[in-house]
Amino acid sequence: MLTKLALRNAKRSFKDYIVYIVTMTIIFALVIAFNIMATSGELLASLQGLNILIMFIVLSSFLIFLIVIWLVKYMTSFMLTKRSREFAIYMLQGITKKQIRRMFRKESLLLGAICFAIAIIPGQLLQTAFLDIIFSLVGLDNTAQFSVGVVGVVLSAVLLGIAYIIALASVMGKFRKMAIINLINMEKQAEPTAKSGWAMVFVPISIAYIVFFNVGLLTGIIGTDEFVLFWLVGLAISIYLLFVGLSAFLAMYIEKKPNAIYKQANTFILRQLSSKMKAMRFTMGTLTTLFTMSLFGLTLSFMFLGFQQEVLQRNLPVDIMIFHNDVNEDFVQHTGIIQNSNAITDSHIYRIFHNANDTRINDFLVNINGGSYHDYDTYMLLRDYNAFRRLAGLPEVLLGSNEFIINVVGRTENAMHQFVEQNQVSIGGTVLALSEIRTDFITQNGMNGADYIVVVPDEFENILTPFYSMLAANVEGSPDDDLFQALMEIQPDTGDILLGGFLTVSLGSDNQGLPAVGSNGAVSYAGSTVVIRELENMMVASVTTSIIIVLSYVSFVFICVALTVLAIQQLSDATRFKFRYDILKKLGLSKKEVSAVLKKQLALYYILPFAFAALITLVLGLVISYGFAVLENIQVVPFQYYAVSVGAFGLLYAIYFMITYLGFKRQINKSA
């Protein structure tokens, strides 16, 4: 009998909590899709250098595992509260607590099993779609065959099953301690009356900390030092305290009875909001925190997507570049190896020079930017500069007899202007005049200088001292890793590798690295004396693609979870408190006016956590986006990344809001 009752109740819950069911199905489908990718040997072989994506998937899956536990625990507790009187009646009829727990556990597990079963096919389809996106972003052909992914599905079932068991065990432990009277009064306790008090002081304190946090980001007080975790924990605490204080503040505002609360149905709306805020202050804090992390995650996703679209191809304008510390190197062996693999269409061998052991530019940049530079300031002859520009598809430049050009990476341009204003550039006693400072992309990560190169007329060749040799070449076809390994085998040992940047991409062994990498960008191409554009771009793209996919995945799950909690809370209230809206109608409000009140009430309830999250991430998103744009010389308005993420977030938000509004409206109209 109890099994039939559990089936009937599960069917009823399926109708009552359709938003929750749909969200869980979507999350399960995403989990299945990512676990199939992480466990398929064929896919791993097809992904080649994307092993880092698998690592990110594993880490994000653990995070999703925790959030599923939280959501199931929250929803199960919520359902228990809503059905507390029903369970009290069961106990009065002689059904034991143990039997009720088993029945409720069966209902919850049955709902989860149904969601998982529905999610299997969409999960398979999502996995295929994700692979197409991943291979497209990396620039590879999708060679992976469609796979059912049994191991991934089973792994997902086990992980999600464990999440359900952990969540249900926590809720059932709470239920075990309840008496019948507790169950009868439980639903009433879910909506405590908000009272004013000392807690409202948390509002100005929280706002002050959030303002301080944003100002600290702008001024550099808060950076990437050892205290950053401390500041972030403080931000999370301030979010929770904000809602604690806000509930007390609303109650105090209503008690003062200002004229504004008597306009239209403001009293009704504010009392509803105040009561809800009191009951859900911790939940609202959690939702705001999830929204904040989601917005920031989406901002980072769009930021790295912009990097791939704008920067990845331009940073390395030549197919193959080879560094050699022998100034007399003729690169005969190298060109022979390249020619055997891929026909050379154009190439140029040249020297980088230094100026009588001068280090003034290096010293200046180290003081301004930090970073790692060559032992001496680096120079390049005009003929070699123009030859490289030809290989890179750039137009040639002209230079007067006693003039010089400085070609720099974009992030160093301002510092170089300062240097030129404060210093003279002279060679062999001849003072040169600055022709221009250029920011063309000519591979200045230790190859053509580190961050900068000084370009001078050819007549200074006999005065300058050769520093190291370079080979630049364009080839037919796609150079592969075998070519890279063959070239590295004949390269000399140039000392320990020097790396920088938080996404540094390294090819080659640790004792064959470049001796300088400049100030580095957010993504650095440091680490090898042989640079093959296609391989380097593949490796960088594998990292950025992994970040894009995983951050979007986690952010989307967080948003759906948070919006589901908001929607379920309101839709349940539609049934529980529909008599309140009947009273509004009896007081003379038309259906249209009641709908307007309902819309305003839901809008306030939905807007609060979203608005706070948007404000908190505004400065954070802009600071990160601006810093990234400067480091990588991306020609984009930094606000763009944040605006796009808010727009994508807002679209999903609007969908959930309309579902909630229409469902709520339908419920209160039934009571007419």
Side-chain angles (χ1 to χ4, degrees), residues 351-386:
R351 309 285 180 262
I352 299 297
F353 298 84
H354 67 77
N355 182 20
N357 300 338
D358 188 14
T359 62
R360 287 179 303 148
I361 300 178
N362 283 359
D363 294 341
F364 184 85
L365 293 179
V366 167
N367 290 332
I368 297 292
N369 296 332
S372 173
Y373 293 88
H374 288 292
D375 294 335
Y376 312 113
D377 295 347
T378 48
Y379 290 76
M380 192 175 189
L381 298 179
L382 179 63
R383 67 169 183 263
D384 297 325
Y385 181 63
N386 279 327

mmCIF file of all heavy atoms in Angstrom, residues 351-386:
data_model
loop_
_atom_site.group_PDB
_atom_site.id
_atom_site.type_symbol
_atom_site.label_atom_id
_atom_site.label_comp_id
_atom_site.label_asym_id
_atom_site.label_seq_id
_atom_site.Cartn_x
_atom_site.Cartn_y
_atom_site.Cartn_z
ATOM 1 N N ARG A 351 69.878 38.005 -37.753
ATOM 2 C CA ARG A 351 70.502 38.122 -36.445
ATOM 3 C C ARG A 351 69.784 39.190 -35.620
ATOM 4 O O ARG A 351 69.328 40.197 -36.148
ATOM 5 C CB ARG A 351 71.981 38.530 -36.559
ATOM 6 C CG ARG A 351 72.796 37.664 -37.511
ATOM 7 C CD ARG A 351 73.133 36.302 -36.928
ATOM 8 N NE ARG A 351 73.910 35.509 -37.882
ATOM 9 C CZ ARG A 351 73.377 34.585 -38.682
ATOM 10 N NH1 ARG A 351 72.074 34.348 -38.634
ATOM 11 N NH2 ARG A 351 74.132 33.909 -39.518
ATOM 12 N N ILE A 352 69.732 38.956 -34.324
ATOM 13 C CA ILE A 352 69.332 39.983 -33.368
ATOM 14 C C ILE A 352 70.629 40.501 -32.735
ATOM 15 O O ILE A 352 71.521 39.717 -32.400
ATOM 16 C CB ILE A 352 68.389 39.421 -32.293
ATOM 17 C CG1 ILE A 352 67.112 38.879 -32.943
ATOM 18 C CG2 ILE A 352 68.040 40.497 -31.258
ATOM 19 C CD1 ILE A 352 66.264 39.918 -33.666
ATOM 20 N N PHE A 353 70.733 41.842 -32.566
ATOM 21 C CA PHE A 353 71.976 42.462 -32.097
ATOM 22 C C PHE A 353 71.792 43.095 -30.720
ATOM 23 O O PHE A 353 70.667 43.297 -30.253
ATOM 24 C CB PHE A 353 72.420 43.547 -33.092
ATOM 25 C CG PHE A 353 72.735 43.031 -34.466
ATOM 26 C CD1 PHE A 353 71.724 42.835 -35.409
ATOM 27 C CD2 PHE A 353 74.039 42.739 -34.832
ATOM 28 C CE1 PHE A 353 72.011 42.363 -36.683
ATOM 29 C CE2 PHE A 353 74.338 42.265 -36.109
ATOM 30 C CZ PHE A 353 73.325 42.073 -37.035
ATOM 31 N N HIS A 354 72.935 43.419 -30.084
ATOM 32 C CA HIS A 354 72.898 44.280 -28.897
ATOM 33 C C HIS A 354 73.890 45.416 -29.089
ATOM 34 O O HIS A 354 74.769 45.360 -29.968
ATOM 35 C CB HIS A 354 73.161 43.496 -27.608
ATOM 36 C CG HIS A 354 74.535 42.941 -27.462
ATOM 37 N ND1 HIS A 354 75.624 43.707 -27.106
ATOM 38 C CD2 HIS A 354 75.015 41.669 -27.614
ATOM 39 C CE1 HIS A 354 76.705 42.955 -27.019
ATOM 40 N NE2 HIS A 354 76.367 41.698 -27.331
ATOM 41 N N ASN A 355 73.764 46.440 -28.289
ATOM 42 C CA ASN A 355 74.495 47.690 -28.484
ATOM 43 C C ASN A 355 75.535 47.878 -27.381
ATOM 44 O O ASN A 355 75.275 48.523 -26.367
ATOM 45 C CB ASN A 355 73.512 48.867 -28.498
ATOM 46 C CG ASN A 355 74.188 50.198 -28.737
ATOM 47 O OD1 ASN A 355 75.309 50.247 -29.245
ATOM 48 N ND2 ASN A 355 73.506 51.278 -28.377
ATOM 49 N N ALA A 356 76.708 47.270 -27.570
ATOM 50 C CA ALA A 356 77.822 47.452 -26.639
ATOM 51 C C ALA A 356 77.423 47.184 -25.187
ATOM 52 O O ALA A 356 77.705 47.971 -24.285
ATOM 53 C CB ALA A 356 78.394 48.862 -26.774
ATOM 54 N N ASN A 357 76.735 46.066 -24.996
ATOM 55 C CA ASN A 357 76.335 45.628 -23.648
ATOM 56 C C ASN A 357 75.379 46.599 -22.943
ATOM 57 O O ASN A 357 75.267 46.603 -21.718
ATOM 58 C CB ASN A 357 77.565 45.406 -22.760
ATOM 59 C CG ASN A 357 78.490 44.357 -23.336
ATOM 60 O OD1 ASN A 357 78.074 43.529 -24.131
ATOM 61 N ND2 ASN A 357 79.754 44.393 -22.929
ATOM 62 N N ASP A 358 74.693 47.447 -23.708
ATOM 63 C CA ASP A 358 73.753 48.414 -23.134
ATOM 64 C C ASP A 358 72.519 47.679 -22.603
ATOM 65 O O ASP A 358 71.990 46.780 -23.255
ATOM 66 C CB ASP A 358 73.346 49.416 -24.213
ATOM 67 C CG ASP A 358 72.521 50.563 -23.647
ATOM 68 O OD1 ASP A 358 72.503 50.713 -22.407
ATOM 69 O OD2 ASP A 358 71.905 51.292 -24.430
ATOM 70 N N THR A 359 72.056 48.043 -21.399
ATOM 71 C CA THR A 359 70.865 47.407 -20.802
ATOM 72 C C THR A 359 69.853 48.449 -20.310
ATOM 73 O O THR A 359 69.018 48.153 -19.466
ATOM 74 C CB THR A 359 71.267 46.508 -19.617
ATOM 75 O OG1 THR A 359 71.885 47.326 -18.607
ATOM 76 C CG2 THR A 359 72.219 45.424 -20.046
ATOM 77 N N ARG A 360 69.919 49.676 -20.830
ATOM 78 C CA ARG A 360 69.053 50.740 -20.306
ATOM 79 C C ARG A 360 67.570 50.453 -20.518
ATOM 80 O O ARG A 360 66.752 50.679 -19.634
ATOM 81 C CB ARG A 360 69.422 52.084 -20.958
ATOM 82 C CG ARG A 360 70.751 52.678 -20.468
ATOM 83 C CD ARG A 360 71.025 53.975 -21.197
ATOM 84 N NE ARG A 360 71.042 53.774 -22.630
ATOM 85 C CZ ARG A 360 70.660 54.687 -23.534
ATOM 86 N NH1 ARG A 360 70.223 55.856 -23.125
ATOM 87 N NH2 ARG A 360 70.720 54.429 -24.819
ATOM 88 N N ILE A 361 67.208 49.964 -21.703
ATOM 89 C CA ILE A 361 65.793 49.687 -21.979
ATOM 90 C C ILE A 361 65.312 48.534 -21.101
ATOM 91 O O ILE A 361 64.229 48.591 -20.503
ATOM 92 C CB ILE A 361 65.568 49.366 -23.463
ATOM 93 C CG1 ILE A 361 66.014 50.551 -24.334
ATOM 94 C CG2 ILE A 361 64.097 49.042 -23.722
ATOM 95 C CD1 ILE A 361 65.873 50.300 -25.823
ATOM 96 N N ASN A 362 66.121 47.481 -21.032
ATOM 97 C CA ASN A 362 65.763 46.351 -20.169
ATOM 98 C C ASN A 362 65.545 46.798 -18.730
ATOM 99 O O ASN A 362 64.548 46.439 -18.088
ATOM 100 C CB ASN A 362 66.861 45.294 -20.207
ATOM 101 C CG ASN A 362 66.822 44.458 -21.473
ATOM 102 O OD1 ASN A 362 65.964 44.658 -22.322
ATOM 103 N ND2 ASN A 362 67.759 43.534 -21.600
ATOM 104 N N ASP A 363 66.490 47.583 -18.214
ATOM 105 C CA ASP A 363 66.401 48.024 -16.823
ATOM 106 C C ASP A 363 65.146 48.854 -16.592
ATOM 107 O O ASP A 363 64.465 48.706 -15.567
ATOM 108 C CB ASP A 363 67.640 48.846 -16.445
ATOM 109 C CG ASP A 363 68.917 48.007 -16.460
ATOM 110 O OD1 ASP A 363 68.798 46.771 -16.408
ATOM 111 O OD2 ASP A 363 70.004 48.606 -16.537
ATOM 112 N N PHE A 364 64.838 49.721 -17.552
ATOM 113 C CA PHE A 364 63.665 50.584 -17.425
ATOM 114 C C PHE A 364 62.389 49.742 -17.390
ATOM 115 O O PHE A 364 61.499 49.964 -16.553
ATOM 116 C CB PHE A 364 63.626 51.579 -18.591
ATOM 117 C CG PHE A 364 62.516 52.579 -18.499
ATOM 118 C CD1 PHE A 364 62.671 53.749 -17.766
ATOM 119 C CD2 PHE A 364 61.296 52.358 -19.137
ATOM 120 C CE1 PHE A 364 61.634 54.676 -17.675
ATOM 121 C CE2 PHE A 364 60.268 53.273 -19.056
ATOM 122 C CZ PHE A 364 60.437 54.437 -18.321
ATOM 123 N N LEU A 365 62.281 48.770 -18.286
ATOM 124 C CA LEU A 365 61.070 47.949 -18.364
ATOM 125 C C LEU A 365 60.922 47.042 -17.148
ATOM 126 O O LEU A 365 59.805 46.784 -16.685
ATOM 127 C CB LEU A 365 61.074 47.121 -19.650
ATOM 128 C CG LEU A 365 60.943 47.915 -20.955
ATOM 129 C CD1 LEU A 365 60.978 46.983 -22.154
ATOM 130 C CD2 LEU A 365 59.654 48.735 -20.963
ATOM 131 N N VAL A 366 62.055 46.547 -16.637
ATOM 132 C CA VAL A 366 61.983 45.711 -15.429
ATOM 133 C C VAL A 366 61.414 46.522 -14.268
ATOM 134 O O VAL A 366 60.590 46.029 -13.483
ATOM 135 C CB VAL A 366 63.374 45.154 -15.072
ATOM 136 C CG1 VAL A 366 63.358 44.560 -13.665
ATOM 137 C CG2 VAL A 366 63.786 44.086 -16.072
ATOM 138 N N ASN A 367 61.839 47.795 -14.156
ATOM 139 C CA ASN A 367 61.336 48.650 -13.076
ATOM 140 C C ASN A 367 59.856 48.973 -13.250
ATOM 141 O O ASN A 367 59.130 49.129 -12.277
ATOM 142 C CB ASN A 367 62.139 49.957 -13.016
ATOM 143 C CG ASN A 367 63.556 49.740 -12.534
ATOM 144 O OD1 ASN A 367 63.818 48.812 -11.781
ATOM 145 N ND2 ASN A 367 64.484 50.579 -12.991
ATOM 146 N N ILE A 368 59.423 49.071 -14.512
ATOM 147 C CA ILE A 368 58.021 49.410 -14.789
ATOM 148 C C ILE A 368 57.128 48.173 -14.775
ATOM 149 O O ILE A 368 56.077 48.128 -14.127
ATOM 150 C CB ILE A 368 57.891 50.123 -16.157
ATOM 151 C CG1 ILE A 368 58.648 51.442 -16.150
ATOM 152 C CG2 ILE A 368 56.418 50.348 -16.503
ATOM 153 C CD1 ILE A 368 58.067 52.505 -15.260
ATOM 154 N N ASN A 369 57.540 47.146 -15.517
ATOM 155 C CA ASN A 369 56.682 45.981 -15.754
ATOM 156 C C ASN A 369 57.086 44.732 -14.983
ATOM 157 O O ASN A 369 56.295 43.807 -14.852
ATOM 158 C CB ASN A 369 56.684 45.619 -17.254
ATOM 159 C CG ASN A 369 56.099 46.705 -18.117
ATOM 160 O OD1 ASN A 369 55.253 47.471 -17.674
ATOM 161 N ND2 ASN A 369 56.549 46.785 -19.364
ATOM 162 N N GLY A 370 58.353 44.684 -14.523
ATOM 163 C CA GLY A 370 58.847 43.411 -14.017
ATOM 164 C C GLY A 370 59.142 42.499 -15.195
ATOM 165 O O GLY A 370 59.367 42.951 -16.314
ATOM 166 N N GLY A 371 59.127 41.200 -14.991
ATOM 167 C CA GLY A 371 59.310 40.274 -16.095
ATOM 168 C C GLY A 371 60.753 39.843 -16.265
ATOM 169 O O GLY A 371 61.632 40.157 -15.469
ATOM 170 N N SER A 372 61.012 39.117 -17.349
ATOM 171 C CA SER A 372 62.338 38.564 -17.615
ATOM 172 C C SER A 372 62.781 38.979 -19.012
ATOM 173 O O SER A 372 62.085 38.711 -19.998
ATOM 174 C CB SER A 372 62.297 37.039 -17.509
ATOM 175 O OG SER A 372 63.522 36.486 -17.911
ATOM 176 N N TYR A 373 63.942 39.628 -19.096
ATOM 177 C CA TYR A 373 64.441 40.130 -20.377
ATOM 178 C C TYR A 373 65.800 39.526 -20.695
ATOM 179 O O TYR A 373 66.435 38.874 -19.859
ATOM 180 C CB TYR A 373 64.517 41.669 -20.346
ATOM 181 C CG TYR A 373 63.152 42.312 -20.253
ATOM 182 C CD1 TYR A 373 62.562 42.549 -19.016
ATOM 183 C CD2 TYR A 373 62.434 42.640 -21.402
ATOM 184 C CE1 TYR A 373 61.294 43.107 -18.932
ATOM 185 C CE2 TYR A 373 61.172 43.206 -21.324
ATOM 186 C CZ TYR A 373 60.603 43.436 -20.084
ATOM 187 O OH TYR A 373 59.354 43.978 -20.000
ATOM 188 N N HIS A 374 66.271 39.776 -21.926
ATOM 189 C CA HIS A 374 67.594 39.301 -22.334
ATOM 190 C C HIS A 374 68.690 40.022 -21.547
ATOM 191 O O HIS A 374 68.433 41.014 -20.861
ATOM 192 C CB HIS A 374 67.781 39.535 -23.833
ATOM 193 C CG HIS A 374 66.974 38.617 -24.693
ATOM 194 N ND1 HIS A 374 67.223 37.268 -24.784
ATOM 195 C CD2 HIS A 374 65.911 38.852 -25.512
ATOM 196 C CE1 HIS A 374 66.370 36.712 -25.617
ATOM 197 N NE2 HIS A 374 65.553 37.651 -26.078
ATOM 198 N N ASP A 375 69.915 39.556 -21.693
ATOM 199 C CA ASP A 375 71.035 40.160 -20.966
ATOM 200 C C ASP A 375 71.321 41.585 -21.428
ATOM 201 O O ASP A 375 71.852 42.396 -20.677
ATOM 202 C CB ASP A 375 72.304 39.313 -21.145
ATOM 203 C CG ASP A 375 72.171 37.951 -20.483
ATOM 204 O OD1 ASP A 375 71.364 37.829 -19.533
ATOM 205 O OD2 ASP A 375 72.853 37.011 -20.924
ATOM 206 N N TYR A 376 70.987 41.873 -22.698
ATOM 207 C CA TYR A 376 71.257 43.198 -23.257
ATOM 208 C C TYR A 376 70.019 43.700 -24.002
ATOM 209 O O TYR A 376 69.136 42.921 -24.380
ATOM 210 C CB TYR A 376 72.439 43.154 -24.238
ATOM 211 C CG TYR A 376 73.651 42.425 -23.722
ATOM 212 C CD1 TYR A 376 74.066 41.222 -24.296
ATOM 213 C CD2 TYR A 376 74.383 42.921 -22.650
ATOM 214 C CE1 TYR A 376 75.178 40.536 -23.821
ATOM 215 C CE2 TYR A 376 75.499 42.253 -22.160
ATOM 216 C CZ TYR A 376 75.883 41.059 -22.746
ATOM 217 O OH TYR A 376 76.974 40.388 -22.260
ATOM 218 N N ASP A 377 69.980 45.021 -24.253
ATOM 219 C CA ASP A 377 68.930 45.583 -25.099
ATOM 220 C C ASP A 377 69.057 44.989 -26.505
ATOM 221 O O ASP A 377 70.165 44.774 -27.004
ATOM 222 C CB ASP A 377 69.068 47.108 -25.183
ATOM 223 C CG ASP A 377 68.830 47.778 -23.836
ATOM 224 O OD1 ASP A 377 68.325 47.095 -22.926
ATOM 225 O OD2 ASP A 377 69.154 48.977 -23.701
ATOM 226 N N THR A 378 67.925 44.730 -27.141
ATOM 227 C CA THR A 378 67.917 44.013 -28.417
ATOM 228 C C THR A 378 67.627 44.938 -29.594
ATOM 229 O O THR A 378 66.765 45.826 -29.509
ATOM 230 C CB THR A 378 66.876 42.883 -28.380
ATOM 231 O OG1 THR A 378 65.641 43.400 -27.881
ATOM 232 C CG2 THR A 378 67.344 41.759 -27.477
ATOM 233 N N TYR A 379 68.345 44.705 -30.713
ATOM 234 C CA TYR A 379 68.242 45.514 -31.925
ATOM 235 C C TYR A 379 68.040 44.610 -33.135
ATOM 236 O O TYR A 379 68.459 43.445 -33.146
ATOM 237 C CB TYR A 379 69.515 46.347 -32.124
ATOM 238 C CG TYR A 379 69.680 47.468 -31.122
ATOM 239 C CD1 TYR A 379 70.081 47.199 -29.814
ATOM 240 C CD2 TYR A 379 69.442 48.783 -31.484
ATOM 241 C CE1 TYR A 379 70.244 48.216 -28.887
ATOM 242 C CE2 TYR A 379 69.600 49.821 -30.565
ATOM 243 C CZ TYR A 379 69.998 49.529 -29.266
ATOM 244 O OH TYR A 379 70.144 50.549 -28.355
ATOM 245 N N MET A 380 67.447 45.219 -34.182
ATOM 246 C CA MET A 380 67.175 44.482 -35.411
ATOM 247 C C MET A 380 67.421 45.418 -36.590
ATOM 248 O O MET A 380 67.071 46.607 -36.543
ATOM 249 C CB MET A 380 65.708 44.005 -35.403
ATOM 250 C CG MET A 380 65.342 42.992 -36.452
ATOM 251 S SD MET A 380 63.614 42.444 -36.171
ATOM 252 C CE MET A 380 63.502 41.090 -37.323
ATOM 253 N N LEU A 381 68.030 44.911 -37.647
ATOM 254 C CA LEU A 381 68.279 45.729 -38.831
ATOM 255 C C LEU A 381 66.996 45.901 -39.631
ATOM 256 O O LEU A 381 66.128 45.015 -39.653
ATOM 257 C CB LEU A 381 69.352 45.082 -39.703
ATOM 258 C CG LEU A 381 70.736 44.918 -39.056
ATOM 259 C CD1 LEU A 381 71.695 44.242 -40.038
ATOM 260 C CD2 LEU A 381 71.298 46.252 -38.583
ATOM 261 N N LEU A 382 66.898 47.038 -40.325
ATOM 262 C CA LEU A 382 65.679 47.354 -41.063
ATOM 263 C C LEU A 382 65.366 46.297 -42.113
ATOM 264 O O LEU A 382 64.208 45.920 -42.300
ATOM 265 C CB LEU A 382 65.816 48.734 -41.725
ATOM 266 C CG LEU A 382 64.625 49.193 -42.559
ATOM 267 C CD1 LEU A 382 63.377 49.343 -41.684
ATOM 268 C CD2 LEU A 382 64.937 50.505 -43.278
ATOM 269 N N ARG A 383 66.410 45.783 -42.833
ATOM 270 C CA ARG A 383 66.148 44.790 -43.878
ATOM 271 C C ARG A 383 65.555 43.510 -43.290
ATOM 272 O O ARG A 383 64.667 42.886 -43.894
ATOM 273 C CB ARG A 383 67.434 44.488 -44.649
ATOM 274 C CG ARG A 383 68.517 43.773 -43.849
ATOM 275 C CD ARG A 383 69.633 43.276 -44.765
ATOM 276 N NE ARG A 383 70.637 42.541 -44.016
ATOM 277 C CZ ARG A 383 71.781 43.053 -43.573
ATOM 278 N NH1 ARG A 383 72.047 44.343 -43.797
ATOM 279 N NH2 ARG A 383 72.640 42.299 -42.899
ATOM 280 N N ASP A 384 66.040 43.115 -42.107
ATOM 281 C CA ASP A 384 65.505 41.909 -41.461
ATOM 282 C C ASP A 384 64.091 42.158 -40.943
ATOM 283 O O ASP A 384 63.226 41.278 -41.013
ATOM 284 C CB ASP A 384 66.414 41.478 -40.314
ATOM 285 C CG ASP A 384 67.806 41.090 -40.794
ATOM 286 O OD1 ASP A 384 67.906 40.531 -41.902
ATOM 287 O OD2 ASP A 384 68.773 41.359 -40.066
ATOM 288 N N TYR A 385 63.876 43.343 -40.425
ATOM 289 C CA TYR A 385 62.550 43.713 -39.918
ATOM 290 C C TYR A 385 61.518 43.661 -41.041
ATOM 291 O O TYR A 385 60.432 43.095 -40.887
ATOM 292 C CB TYR A 385 62.623 45.105 -39.302
ATOM 293 C CG TYR A 385 61.334 45.626 -38.696
ATOM 294 C CD1 TYR A 385 60.728 45.001 -37.617
ATOM 295 C CD2 TYR A 385 60.739 46.786 -39.210
ATOM 296 C CE1 TYR A 385 59.562 45.496 -37.052
ATOM 297 C CE2 TYR A 385 59.570 47.295 -38.654
ATOM 298 C CZ TYR A 385 58.980 46.648 -37.576
ATOM 299 O OH TYR A 385 57.824 47.153 -37.027
ATOM 300 N N ASN A 386 61.859 44.234 -42.194
ATOM 301 C CA ASN A 386 60.937 44.220 -43.336
ATOM 302 C C ASN A 386 60.769 42.824 -43.912
ATOM 303 O O ASN A 386 59.687 42.466 -44.384
ATOM 304 C CB ASN A 386 61.423 45.186 -44.417
ATOM 305 C CG ASN A 386 61.027 46.628 -44.118
ATOM 306 O OD1 ASN A 386 59.972 46.882 -43.533
ATOM 307 N ND2 ASN A 386 61.870 47.584 -44.517
#
